[in-house]
mmCIF file of all heavy atoms in Angstrom:
data_model
loop_
_atom_site.group_PDB
_atom_site.id
_atom_site.type_symbol
_atom_site.label_atom_id
_atom_site.label_comp_id
_atom_site.label_asym_id
_atom_site.label_seq_id
_atom_site.Cartn_x
_atom_site.Cartn_y
_atom_site.Cartn_z
ATOM 1 N N ILE A 18 1.597 23.070 24.984
ATOM 2 C CA ILE A 18 0.260 22.613 24.587
ATOM 3 C C ILE A 18 -0.014 23.086 23.166
ATOM 4 O O ILE A 18 0.128 24.265 22.849
ATOM 5 C CB ILE A 18 -0.825 23.166 25.531
ATOM 6 C CG1 ILE A 18 -0.645 22.619 26.949
ATOM 7 C CG2 ILE A 18 -2.221 22.814 25.010
ATOM 8 C CD1 ILE A 18 -1.595 23.213 27.965
ATOM 9 N N PHE A 34 -14.558 13.755 14.847
ATOM 10 C CA PHE A 34 -13.353 12.938 14.947
ATOM 11 C C PHE A 34 -12.120 13.776 14.654
ATOM 12 O O PHE A 34 -12.154 14.710 13.861
ATOM 13 C CB PHE A 34 -13.408 11.772 13.940
ATOM 14 C CG PHE A 34 -14.677 10.972 14.010
ATOM 15 C CD1 PHE A 34 -15.758 11.291 13.200
ATOM 16 C CD2 PHE A 34 -14.797 9.915 14.891
ATOM 17 C CE1 PHE A 34 -16.939 10.565 13.268
ATOM 18 C CE2 PHE A 34 -15.973 9.188 14.966
ATOM 19 C CZ PHE A 34 -17.049 9.515 14.161
ATOM 20 N N ASP A 58 -8.010 11.612 26.619
ATOM 21 C CA ASP A 58 -7.391 10.306 26.375
ATOM 22 C C ASP A 58 -5.889 10.527 26.365
ATOM 23 O O ASP A 58 -5.324 10.992 25.377
ATOM 24 C CB ASP A 58 -7.868 9.712 25.051
ATOM 25 C CG ASP A 58 -7.313 8.317 24.812
ATOM 26 O OD1 ASP A 58 -6.569 7.798 25.675
ATOM 27 O OD2 ASP A 58 -7.616 7.730 23.754
ATOM 28 N N SER A 79 3.502 18.365 24.249
ATOM 29 C CA SER A 79 3.742 18.011 22.837
ATOM 30 C C SER A 79 5.139 17.438 22.636
ATOM 31 O O SER A 79 6.121 17.912 23.226
ATOM 32 C CB SER A 79 3.561 19.258 21.957
ATOM 33 O OG SER A 79 2.241 19.727 22.004
ATOM 34 N N PRO A 81 8.031 15.848 19.611
ATOM 35 C CA PRO A 81 8.349 15.905 18.178
ATOM 36 C C PRO A 81 7.605 14.854 17.360
ATOM 37 O O PRO A 81 7.270 15.096 16.193
ATOM 38 C CB PRO A 81 9.870 15.672 18.154
ATOM 39 C CG PRO A 81 10.333 16.243 19.452
ATOM 40 C CD PRO A 81 9.238 15.905 20.448
ATOM 41 N N ALA A 93 -22.499 13.560 9.671
ATOM 42 C CA ALA A 93 -23.884 13.969 9.864
ATOM 43 C C ALA A 93 -24.695 12.776 10.347
ATOM 44 O O ALA A 93 -24.256 11.632 10.308
ATOM 45 C CB ALA A 93 -24.452 14.499 8.558
#
Side-chain angles (χ1 to χ4, degrees):
Chain A
I18 296 175
F34 309 92
D58 184 1
S79 296

